[in-house]
Amino acid sequence: MRFISWNVNGLRACEGKGFSEVFRALDADFFCLQETKMQAGQLDLQYEGYQSFWNYADKKGYSGTAVFTRHTPLNVTYGIGIDEHDHEGRVITLEMDDFFLVTVYVPNAQDELKRLDYRMRWEDDFLAYIKSLDAKKPVIVCGDLNVAHQEIDLKNPKTNRRNPGFTDEERGKFTTWLESGFTDTFRHLFPEQVTYSWWSYRFRAREKNIGWRIDYFVTSKRIDDRIADAKIHTEIMGSDHCPVELVLQ
């Protein structure tokens, strides 16, 4: 079973850069999107054999998530059930027969870390949400988690030490998540591989491969034996992020 996650940084713009061709080529069972930056009715994307589910931010042109699936879910929910967090279209959860699939666009701590305190509240509440699901059946979480966990996960760790996405606080919350019974699937298979999933549009960063790995699949540790492959599709353009992939047996 193949899962894809991609922060498209504006789906309408990405569609103009070949999104549909990439969608068909990757041929996933589940294709999850973050930062769609859309409202209902702005783009009609339908693919034969897929259902789609959308969570739009209240604010136009901001955030937003979507899931395309070949498999009909038992249930679909939007957000995490906490009003403070549920106006930005950041979370969609599909309940399947033997797992939950959660796509998430984690809030950025922003310049000068002005949203770091909010990010810390989000982290605690989101982990509690994921653990409540995990108590029922295994969980597959994917998306732009807006954190480079270890120094291997970004090109310039020393100069980025207190920048958004590489603060001790954000990294520590991710460590806590993993210690709570979850697995960073890419690092599970490739503990020393240096591969990035996001590059700034500035300073020809992608051309120079000055990037960060901030897009993940995180799964319940008890299904580690089902992790068959994990990929970061650095060859695919169309956004400042590239798609990431998980294959489960």
Side-chain angles (χ1 to χ4, degrees), residues 103 122 142 163 170 222:
T103 189
W122 161 279
C142 67
N163 284 342
E170 292 163 301
R222 64 184 182 280

Side-chain angles (χ1 to χ4, degrees), residues 159-172:
T159 55
N160 280 295
R161 178 73 187 282
R162 286 297 295 166
N163 284 342
F166 200 61
T167 63
D168 294 346
E169 293 92 333
E170 292 163 301
R171 297 168 67 196

Side-chain angles (χ1 to χ4, degrees), residues 2 25 48 56 63 75 114-115 124 126 129 139 146 151 155 165 172 180 185 198 200 203-205 213 237 242:
R2 175 172 286 109
E48 186 176 354
Y56 305 106
S63 190
N75 188 38
K114 59 189 175 192
R115 218 179 183 197
D124 291 341
F126 185 70
Y129 173 70
V139 181
N146 258 318
E151 291 196 353
K155 180 69 172 180
S180 299
T185 56
W198 173 79
S200 169
F203 313 121
R204 293 162 50 213
R213 187 177 75 97
M237 303 295 175
C242 71

Side-chain angles (χ1 to χ4, degrees), residues 2-8 11 13-33 45 47 50 68 70 206 232-239 241-245:
R2 175 172 286 109
F3 301 80
I4 295 289
S5 176
W6 193 8
N7 179 324
V8 290
L11 183 55
C14 192
E15 173 61 11
K17 300 173 186 175
F19 173 81
S20 288
E21 289 79 3
V22 171
F23 183 95
R24 295 185 182 99
L26 290 176
D27 194 31
D29 292 278
F30 298 88
F31 203 117
C32 302
L33 307 180
L45 277 188
Y47 302 102
Y50 288 89
F68 291 85
R70 281 183 169 141
R206 190 158 189 173
I232 299 178
H233 288 278
T234 57
E235 77 282 3
I236 294 176
M237 303 295 175
S239 169
H241 296 249
C242 71
V244 296
E245 177 176 339

Side-chain angles (χ1 to χ4, degrees), residues 29-238:
D29 292 278
F30 298 88
F31 203 117
C32 302
L33 307 180
Q34 304 86 42
E35 213 171 355
T36 55
K37 296 184 176 179
M38 279 174 42
Q39 301 300 124
Q42 287 188 314
L43 183 66
D44 184 24
L45 277 188
Q46 298 181 35
Y47 302 102
E48 186 176 354
Y50 288 89
Q51 302 172 63
S52 63
F53 302 94
W54 302 77
N55 194 1
Y56 305 106
D58 292 355
K59 179 181 175 182
K60 291 182 178 180
Y62 180 71
S63 190
T65 48
V67 180
F68 291 85
T69 171
R70 281 183 169 141
H71 308 277
T72 300
L74 302 175
N75 188 38
V76 180
T77 57
Y78 303 91
I80 63 174
I82 297 175
D83 187 70
E84 181 185 17
H85 303 313
D86 287 349
H87 292 274
E88 297 182 350
R90 293 187 179 275
V91 179
I92 303 173
T93 302
L94 272 57
E95 180 180 3
M96 310 304 295
D97 287 334
D98 59 348
F99 62 86
F100 289 99
L101 174 64
V102 182
T103 189
V104 58
Y105 176 41
V106 170
N108 191 297
Q110 296 188 351
D111 292 342
E112 299 179 353
L113 304 179
K114 59 189 175 192
R115 218 179 183 197
L116 183 62
D117 288 345
Y118 170 70
R119 169 70 178 266
M120 294 297 99
R121 294 195 302 278
W122 161 279
E123 292 283 352
D124 291 341
D125 292 339
F126 185 70
L127 178 56
Y129 173 70
I130 295 304
K131 289 168 73 173
S132 73
L133 298 179
D134 185 56
K136 301 170 189 172
K137 59 182 81 173
V139 181
I140 300 161
V141 182
C142 67
D144 176 358
L145 302 189
N146 258 318
V147 62
H149 184 218
Q150 300 169 325
E151 291 196 353
I152 192 176
D153 294 319
L154 73 168
K155 180 69 172 180
N156 295 311
K158 292 191 169 41
T159 55
N160 280 295
R161 178 73 187 282
R162 286 297 295 166
N163 284 342
F166 200 61
T167 63
D168 294 346
E169 293 92 333
E170 292 163 301
R171 297 168 67 196
K173 292 294 186 185
F174 192 62
T175 297
T176 298
W177 187 2
L178 299 182
E179 289 173 347
S180 299
F182 296 91
T183 297
D184 173 352
T185 56
F186 184 81
R187 275 287 162 253
H188 175 73
L189 293 181
F190 308 109
E192 297 180 4
Q193 186 170 320
V194 176
T195 311
Y196 308 126
S197 67
W198 173 79
W199 305 261
S200 169
Y201 278 134
R202 297 181 294 174
F203 313 121
R204 293 162 50 213
R206 190 158 189 173
E207 181 184 330
K208 299 174 183 176
N209 200 28
I210 302 170
W212 299 48
R213 187 177 75 97
I214 58 175
D215 301 271
Y216 297 78
F217 277 92
V218 177
T219 56
S220 298
K221 188 168 285 294
R222 64 184 182 280
I223 60 169
D224 281 359
D225 60 347
R226 293 181 56 191
I227 300 171
D229 199 8
K231 296 177 182 175
I232 299 178
H233 288 278
T234 57
E235 77 282 3
I236 294 176
M237 303 295 175

